[in-house]
Amino acid sequence: MKPMKVAFIGVGAISGIYLENLTKTFQDVEILGVCDLIRERAEKAVEQYSIPKLYETMYDAFADPEVDVILNLTRPYEHFDVSKEALKAGKHVYSEKPLAATLEEGRILTELAQEKGLMLGGAPDTYLGAGIQTCRKLIDDGFIGEPVGAAAFMICRGHETWHPDPEFYYKHGGGPLMDMGPYYLTALINLLGGVSAVTGAARKSFPQRIITSQPKSGQVIDVDVPTYTTGILHFESGAIGTIFTTFDVYYETQARLEIYGSKGTLIVPDPNGFGGPVKLFRPEQGGMMELPLMFDYRENSRGLGLEDMARALQTGRPFRSSWQQTLHVLEIMETIHQSSQERRTLELASSYQRQLPMENNPIHGMLD
């Protein structure tokens, strides 16, 4: 089949792995061009990956009749404007997480996509990897019995000690829940189904942060968003989950994700990655057992969701990482913050149906 031609909008830190995987692994996507406000970044990508086109502005990419899909890799608070203009120009859009900085913006985008008959969706796609897909099969096949609960933890002290440009993590569209929450929540709803209501508690522990990484060491960031957030998730199935994300805590490790069932407990790998380990505890075993991964894509496979979109466009089958998923995750996150402000449990308006699990294909880089 003819590859889908993609234009990058944004060639920052996350773009490197997309460029690698879309040029060397995935077979149904072809990078046609790139665009970045810092032209040197785009020039470097063009040279390093032999990309045909460098667009002066994003509107040049939107106007290019050869472009099928816009890959939106801009900062979170820019996602809405870039995706909206791309959809208005008649392009399918795959966006880095989150879908938008607010639920209202997300709904505008989804309504526009439906109106124009275009695909819209995006990251994270880590849940399509070997680790979480193995967990999904184990749950669906009854290895832990009936799921009764879940717990997710993302604990760190922030990004200003290592990231070259950390300000946006503490501004509108940022914070630990909006930044890292999509990985955990996307994994959770793929394992347990949709969320019907949430209860949240959140605060901004420190009003300012000092950057210690280069090249902005010594600069002070004013913190505008909650940086310590806990949410209780009421799943439609009846299971109850907890998600805790923070940029305020010193901690030896960063991630933990567990699913509790009537017959056992499943330790899910870090949802910011694609591989394992996957561990199962059942009382008759007498201890935790690591299980083999049963699916492909164990390495860093960012771009897998875009490959899935391309395959869906080619074959007409459903797109796994569609807006129904990214909008549901966005609503969960915003409603946790709203619940904290109002000090009460809030119902969600959106619902979510899991898409088909992954299938192993003998050709690495090509999906079902």
Side-chain angles (χ1 to χ4, degrees):
M1 296 183 184
K2 184 179 178 182
M4 295 290 109
K5 295 185 177 181
V6 176
F8 281 50
I9 307 300
V11 196
I14 193 64
S15 69
I17 190 63
Y18 278 95
L19 289 164
E20 282 288 315
N21 290 336
L22 297 183
T23 55
K24 298 177 181 178
T25 300
F26 298 118
Q27 302 186 26
D28 295 300
V29 178
E30 177 184 332
I31 303 176
L32 184 64
V34 295
C35 176
D36 196 279
L37 291 173
I38 301 174
R39 183 183 172 88
E40 292 78 8
R41 291 177 177 173
E43 290 174 343
K44 182 178 179 180
V46 165
E47 180 180 358
Q48 185 173 353
Y49 294 96
S50 301
I51 296 171
K53 299 183 181 183
L54 191 160
Y55 300 106
E56 293 295 333
T57 72
M58 66 179 188
Y59 295 100
D60 295 323
F62 302 158
D64 188 342
E66 290 190 83
V67 172
D68 299 305
V69 180
I70 294 297
L71 175 58
N72 184 353
L73 300 182
T74 59
R75 291 168 289 192
Y77 61 85
E78 297 169 325
H79 287 178
F80 173 70
D81 287 333
V82 173
S83 294
K84 181 180 70 172
E85 293 303 314
L87 291 167
K88 286 168 60 177
K91 305 300 184 184
H92 305 288
V93 175
Y94 186 95
S95 176
E96 252 301 326
K97 49 79 185 170
L99 172 64
T102 68
L103 181 58
E104 180 182 4
E105 291 178 347
R107 285 174 172 157
I108 292 171
L109 292 178
T110 60
E111 290 170 4
L112 182 58
Q114 292 176 87
E115 175 188 318
K116 290 187 166 289
L118 296 167
M119 280 194 186
L120 167 68
D125 55 6
T126 47
Y127 76 98
L128 297 173
I132 293 172
Q133 287 295 308
T134 295
C135 291
R136 174 169 173 174
K137 181 168 179 56
L138 291 169
I139 293 171
D140 291 351
D141 288 352
F143 276 75
I144 63 168
E146 179 185 354
V148 298
F153 302 86
M154 195 297 297
I155 307 172
C156 74
R157 193 57 172 80
H159 299 345
E160 63 271 20
T161 61
W162 61 270
H163 198 284
D165 188 27
E167 294 99 322
F168 73 89
Y169 287 106
Y170 300 99
K171 300 299 181 181
H172 176 61
L177 184 61
M178 291 292 283
D179 176 46
M180 295 299 293
Y183 295 108
Y184 294 81
L185 292 168
T186 301
L188 283 169
I189 65 175
N190 272 274
L191 296 176
L192 298 178
V195 173
S196 60
V198 301
T199 309
R203 67 178 296 226
K204 180 173 62 178
S205 300
F206 310 109
Q208 292 183 322
R209 300 281 183 136
I210 299 176
I211 300 175
T212 58
S213 59
Q214 296 298 331
K216 298 183 178 181
S217 181
Q219 292 187 23
V220 176
I221 305 171
D222 290 323
V223 178
D224 299 335
V225 293
T227 52
Y228 191 105
T229 303
T230 299
I232 298 174
L233 311 174
H234 304 267
F235 288 91
E236 293 173 3
S237 66
I240 297 174
T242 301
I243 182 168
F244 170 49
T245 65
T246 183
F247 286 162
D248 298 340
V249 173
Y250 294 107
Y251 202 68
E252 184 179 16
T253 57
Q254 184 189 64
R256 191 162 95 244
L257 181 55
E258 303 170 349
I259 309 294
Y260 311 121
S262 59
K263 295 182 179 179
T265 294
L266 190 64
I267 308 300
V268 181
D270 184 349
N272 193 17
F274 290 81
V278 172
K279 297 180 180 180
L280 174 68
F281 175 78
R282 288 175 57 121
E284 63 269 23
Q285 295 170 211
M288 196 74 69
M289 178 174 63
E290 184 170 340
L291 300 180
L293 302 182
M294 294 181 278
F295 293 86
D296 197 2
Y297 305 105
R298 305 176 183 199
E299 66 288 340
N300 190 339
S301 301
R302 278 177 171 78
L304 182 57
L306 182 56
E307 164 69 20
D308 186 67
M309 172 186 266
R311 200 67 174 166
L313 286 167
Q314 292 169 337
T315 65
R317 68 150 169 79
F319 169 37
R320 291 180 173 94
S321 299
S322 69
W323 65 261
Q324 288 92 342
Q325 177 167 285
T326 55
L327 183 69
H328 191 60
V329 168
L330 179 60
E331 184 178 8
I332 293 170
M333 295 189 296
E334 181 165 306
T335 308
I336 287 173
H337 284 149
Q338 182 183 351
S339 170
S340 175
Q341 294 170 354
E342 299 182 12
R343 296 183 175 235
R344 64 188 181 98
T345 298
L346 296 175
E347 300 286 330
L348 270 65
S350 67
S351 59
Y352 173 76
Q353 297 294 324
R354 297 190 304 168
Q355 291 298 323
L356 293 173
M358 290 284 279
E359 295 181 12
N360 284 320
N361 190 316
I363 303 174
H364 184 72
M366 182 177 289
L367 302 189
D368 55 294

